[in-house]
Amino acid sequence: MNEIFKGVDHIKYEGPDSKNLMAFKHYNADELVGERTMADHLRFSIAYWHTFTGKGVDPFGSATMFRPWDQPGDPLDQAKERMIAAFEFMSKLGVKYFCFHDRDIAPEGATLRETNKNLDVMVDLAKQLMKDTGIKLLWGTANLFNHPRFVHGAATSCNADVFAYAAAQVKKALEVTKELGGENYVFWGGREGYETLLNTNMQLELDNFARFLHMAVDYAKEIGFTGQFLIEPKPKEPTKHQYDFDAASVHAFLLKYGLEKHFKLNIEANHATLAAHTFEHELHYARINGLLGSVDANQGDLLLGWDTDQMPTDIYTTTLAMYEILKNGGLQPGGLNFDCKVRRGSFELDDLFIGHIVGFDAFAYGLKVAYKLLQSEELEQFVEERYASYASGIGKQIVDGKADFKQLEAYALEMPEITNRSGRQEVLESIINRYLVKG
Ligand code: XUL
Ligand code: CO
């Protein structure tokens, strides 16, 4: 087998003082944080599409990344070369999981039958490489957004033939995910939304979307796929109005259509900020509603209004994210899928390693800080005290459902002057900084 990443050995942990770009400074897979190893807390995964098929294309410019596995030739042979390189990369990085769309790993053929055949060939190879390396599938998904047939959506297309095609594609992707032991299956509604209400029957589109997801649930049951189903919210891009706008709107959709028992959420950092939320807001909302299933780890650029999918390096954000994940009791069977790409200008091969190393380190550092912060209970105690008025007296009657308007009016009429306390945001931020700096 041709080695692609020549001169790169397995990436090792060298500690915070190391200046070696090709070594971890904070991510020490086997180190215990509380009762779990870092690897078990973080469950890192590689996104096949960005790392192995991404070429640095943007709306104004063509490819800047010419990968050694992308030699001209038969598309299926190319796909095999790419997959072999992918497993070499993931083994050297020491990552235990990966994720893919059906069309990332296998080329489309002239017909759906031919495409499915290509996929079968690639699934056989993936199975072999997974066995050889011990790398597992965190989740599979179907690409229902790239091909022109999905111009008006997939499950929410105005064209029933497209709905049927999308169903056939998800059926196959579910079979493949099961075959590879995938622990989850993701639905990101790439083009499930609309551009203008003038040509849109929103009610039919939403009802159809729910019908589609119910069919997926039924088929998973039929074939014995027991992985977790996840929906990945995103507010815009590619369509102007994406139906899965954010965690709260997906939650409402799931409840309306009786799907809430079958789905959790895959929260992506950059999608949260595009929805004008923080990453931790989306994680928190999902968590308190029992919906936090998995995470697409990346970061956006707050000055830009699109999905930049950058490598996550901001340790403030990773700390607050890990705080939520620890409070969730972890993400398993979900994980932290690195849905991010090196910048267009970072086109050399070793940038792929360096980008993932700095990202893994940022989450490992965030994990360590968040763990200590949580153990200290400094934030928890503050919040508990802030809401202490609900632990006794009239507040307790309110939360116990024992108060009504008339009773509250009687109480308010006799109440002495109201005193409020400071929210102490700066104090709390100083606590976080203290832990962040201490490490
Ligand atoms: C798009 C996005 C997707 C999903 C999988 O913004 O995040 O890559 O994660 O389809
Ligand atoms: Co994503």
Side-chain angles (χ1 to χ4, degrees):
M1 202 185 293
N2 241 351
E3 191 181 17
I4 296 281
F5 302 94
K6 290 196 184 76
V8 181
D9 201 359
H10 286 104
I11 305 295
K12 293 187 190 71
Y13 170 73
E14 290 186 0
D17 294 330
S18 169
K19 288 190 177 161
N20 180 0
L21 288 173
M22 295 294 254
F24 294 118
K25 322 294 181 295
H26 300 287
Y27 180 57
N28 187 10
D30 297 328
E31 184 182 322
L32 282 175
V33 176
E35 284 169 7
R36 278 187 197 151
T37 62
M38 283 198 185
D40 285 345
H41 276 290
L42 296 163
R43 297 173 58 83
F44 289 134
S45 152
I46 299 298
Y48 203 93
W49 52 102
H50 285 311
T51 299
F52 308 116
T53 70
K55 294 184 166 53
V57 174
D58 77 9
F60 300 94
S62 55
T64 59
M65 297 166 188
F66 302 97
R67 304 305 192 195
W69 55 86
D70 276 336
Q71 300 302 330
D74 172 61
L76 198 55
D77 289 339
Q78 273 184 341
K80 289 179 192 163
E81 292 300 318
R82 180 182 298 121
M83 187 173 275
I84 291 165
F87 277 82
E88 183 193 329
F89 176 85
M90 295 190 287
S91 302
K92 288 185 168 173
L93 188 63
V95 69
K96 295 193 176 151
Y97 287 97
F98 75 117
C99 296
F100 65 81
H101 302 84
D102 47 3
R103 303 298 176 254
D104 302 335
I105 61 166
E108 288 229 25
T111 61
L112 183 58
R113 263 193 197 87
E114 203 180 301
T115 305
N116 285 345
K117 249 195 220 157
N118 289 347
L119 194 51
D120 287 337
V121 171
M122 294 309 298
V123 166
D124 282 348
L125 179 60
K127 219 171 171 181
Q128 186 56 49
L129 291 165
M130 287 167 74
K131 200 166 154 236
D132 295 347
T133 58
I135 293 168
K136 296 188 277 188
L137 180 61
L138 187 67
W139 48 263
T141 188
N143 181 329
L144 306 178
F145 44 89
N146 193 65
H147 193 279
R149 73 176 67 87
F150 299 119
V151 60
H152 299 309
T156 64
S157 173
C158 50
N159 183 345
D161 285 352
V162 177
F163 185 105
Y165 193 102
Q169 204 177 317
V170 170
K171 174 180 175 289
K172 180 73 180 169
L174 281 170
E175 291 161 7
V176 159
T177 302
K178 177 178 186 269
E179 171 90 14
L180 294 176
E183 297 182 26
N184 305 267
Y185 184 90
V186 164
F187 292 85
W188 170 57
R191 291 192 187 272
E192 312 297 23
Y194 69 90
E195 293 299 325
T196 172
L197 264 186
L198 298 175
N199 66 11
T200 300
N201 182 342
M202 195 199 287
Q203 173 130 38
L204 180 64
E205 292 200 2
L206 285 168
D207 289 351
N208 279 347
F209 198 8
R211 288 181 182 111
F212 192 91
L213 295 176
H214 273 293
M215 288 180 204
V217 168
D218 291 346
Y219 189 64
K221 206 168 160 195
E222 194 179 323
I223 62 172
F225 173 67
T226 53
Q228 175 67 52
F229 271 164
L230 298 162
I231 294 191
E232 183 176 321
K234 184 175 183 181
K236 54 188 167 186
E237 200 202 23
T239 71
K240 183 174 167 185
H241 300 274
Q242 293 278 138
Y243 290 133
D244 297 332
F245 188 93
D246 62 359
S249 39
V250 174
H251 187 203
F253 173 87
L254 294 174
L255 290 173
K256 175 177 175 189
Y257 291 103
L259 286 159
E260 70 280 4
K261 284 191 188 63
H262 306 290
F263 286 83
K264 288 193 174 185
L265 301 181
N266 183 37
I267 300 294
E268 177 162 330
N270 204 167
H271 296 180
T273 50
L274 286 177
H277 298 306
T278 58
F279 186 22
E280 60 273 17
H281 167 96
E282 287 292 84
L283 294 169
H284 190 102
Y285 181 89
R287 175 173 69 74
I288 62 174
N289 288 290
L291 290 172
L292 179 53
S294 199
V295 166
D296 268 9
N298 60 19
Q299 74 187 29
D301 184 319
L302 295 182
L303 302 184
L304 302 175
W306 63 90
D307 199 11
T308 57
D309 284 339
Q310 289 167 224
M311 292 290 170
T313 56
D314 176 356
I315 53 175
Y316 202 101
T317 305
T318 58
T319 296
L320 296 183
M322 288 314 302
Y323 194 78
E324 291 298 332
I325 291 168
L326 287 172
K327 287 191 77 162
N328 195 55
L331 289 172
Q332 60 289 341
L336 287 170
N337 173 47
F338 267 53
D339 190 359
C340 41
K341 56 191 176 202
V342 286
R343 298 302 81 200
R344 186 165 186 262
S346 307
F347 48 74
E348 293 182 26
L349 215 46
D350 60 354
D351 289 315
L352 286 178
F353 278 104
I354 294 163
H356 284 92
I357 291 168
V358 65
F360 284 16
D361 274 339
F363 268 96
Y365 193 82
L367 165 65
K368 288 190 279 189
V369 176
Y371 185 78
K372 286 183 192 155
L373 197 56
L374 202 54
Q375 288 291 103
S376 78
E377 295 189 356
E378 288 191 52
L379 297 185
E380 309 289 294
Q381 274 165 15
F382 181 87
V383 175
E384 200 180 313
E385 272 168 38
R386 188 162 184 247
Y387 292 89
S389 65
Y390 288 95
S392 63
I394 194 73
K396 182 141 174 43
Q397 286 180 32
I398 293 171
V399 296
D400 287 348
K402 290 186 180 143
D404 61 22
F405 268 13
K406 278 191 275 177
Q407 200 184 339
L408 291 169
E409 182 195 45
Y411 177 85
L413 288 170
E414 299 306 321
M415 198 175 0
E417 223 175 287
I418 291 177
T419 31
N420 271 315
R421 305 271 314 268
S422 165
R424 297 220 180 273
Q425 183 170 335
E426 299 78 2
V427 170
L428 300 168
E429 286 168 349
S430 83
I431 293 174
I432 292 181
N433 281 359
R434 176 155 48 80
Y435 280 93
L436 260 178
V437 172
K438 270 201 312 193

